[in-house]
Amino acid sequence: NAGVTQTPKFQVLKTGQSMTLQCAQDMNHEYMSWYRQDPGMGLRLIHYSVGAGITDQGEVPNGYNVSRSTTEDFPLRLLSAAPSQTSVYFCASSRGGGTTDTQYFGPGTRLTVL
Amino acid sequence: TQLLEQSPQFLSIQEGENLTVYCNSSSVFSSLQWYRQEPGEGPVLLVTVVTGGEVKKLKRLTFQFGDARKDSSLHITAAQPGDTGLYLCAGARTGRRALTFGSGTRLQVQP
């Protein structure tokens, strides 16, 4: 199993550009989520999904869109990038979405917005 | 203000020393998890505690969940350079599906 994969690993954008961060998992997990990690802030939840076709907002959803058309994929779209979105983005998946389940994280995407 | 406060933020110790990392909140959590993250990688789960007062041991690591389920601690005995990393606690509040992460404790163990 590849686990959770994320692409790209690094990305530089200009203010106002849009892009999609890709996330895929091959563990047949129902629950997937996106976090951003900023220095001194830990991880903050952006959006999450409890299954295909179902998404919900997390702690910091503004400026981001998600969709979940398949169990495997959970892309994160930045509609109009801003410097405040410079961060490291992690995708995670877990079996059932219960908060005692193990969350498996991808390797992250380091995004810089100029 | 962070819902989960971790202390200390940074810790640099010599190989063989013992240390304790704390994770505190004013809120009650139904469960708490501890993760370790190495540079350039995603966090990896170390342990989950769900019962107030629970103590779990993982080799040289001892995890404790407070009786009131508002705090947790991680104690490392005889630290080794391989323990170096960012330690994150993450809690689930009762009735919520999402995890809240602390800001982390960065540990450096010098050989």
Side-chain angles (χ1 to χ4, degrees):
Chain A
N1 286 353
V4 179
T5 57
Q6 290 184 239
T7 56
K9 196 162 179 65
F10 300 96
Q11 183 70 49
V12 178
L13 292 178
K14 293 182 180 178
T15 298
Q17 287 184 317
S18 63
M19 79 158 294
T20 299
L21 279 62
Q22 301 292 343
C23 174
Q25 52 90 9
D26 62 357
M27 297 174 281
N28 201 32
H29 285 169
E30 290 296 318
Y31 186 91
M32 296 185 74
S33 53
W34 276 102
Y35 293 87
R36 59 177 289 174
Q37 186 173 33
D38 303 300
M41 297 290 291
L43 280 82
R44 290 183 292 169
L45 182 65
I46 304 171
H47 286 284
Y48 65 97
S49 168
V50 300
I54 306 169
T55 64
D56 206 347
Q57 295 182 350
E59 192 182 344
V60 287
N62 292 342
Y64 308 95
N65 272 0
V66 292
S67 59
R68 184 96 179 270
S69 55
T70 67
T71 298
E72 294 77 20
D73 300 296
F74 190 43
L76 177 72
R77 280 182 289 276
L78 279 70
L79 308 172
S80 178
S84 61
Q85 294 178 305
T86 293
S87 187
V88 182
Y89 290 85
F90 288 98
C91 178
S93 74
S94 63
R95 182 173 47 86
T99 50
T100 57
D101 288 338
T102 301
Q103 291 214 55
Y104 296 88
F105 285 84
T109 294
R110 186 175 295 274
L111 175 68
T112 301
V113 182
L114 303 175
Chain B
T1 305
Q2 294 270 145
L3 188 62
L4 280 169
E5 297 282 349
Q6 286 189 241
S7 62
Q9 283 187 294
F10 302 97
L11 195 53
S12 181
I13 60 172
Q14 294 295 122
E15 183 176 359
E17 292 184 14
N18 301 334
L19 67 116
T20 302
V21 174
Y22 299 94
C23 175
N24 295 305
S25 178
S26 57
S27 298
V28 174
F29 288 87
S30 59
S31 63
L32 253 163
Q33 296 182 320
W34 284 91
Y35 290 80
R36 183 168 71 204
Q37 183 179 19
E38 299 192 20
E41 299 181 9
V44 175
L45 180 69
L46 295 172
V47 77
T48 301
V49 286
V50 297
T51 306
E54 182 177 2
V55 176
K56 278 192 174 178
K57 291 194 174 184
L58 187 68
K59 296 184 181 178
R60 294 176 293 100
L61 278 60
T62 301
F63 304 86
Q64 185 162 7
F65 200 11
D67 291 340
R69 305 208 312 276
K70 293 183 178 181
D71 56 84
S72 181
S73 64
L74 158 60
H75 181 80
I76 301 179
T77 303
Q80 298 177 0
D83 296 326
T84 293
L86 178 67
Y87 289 81
L88 295 157
C89 65
R93 284 187 286 172
T94 305
R96 305 273 185 107
R97 294 203 72 163
L99 282 177
T100 298
F101 279 81
S103 55
T105 293
R106 192 165 298 279
L107 172 65
Q108 177 82 37
V109 181
Q110 308 284 353

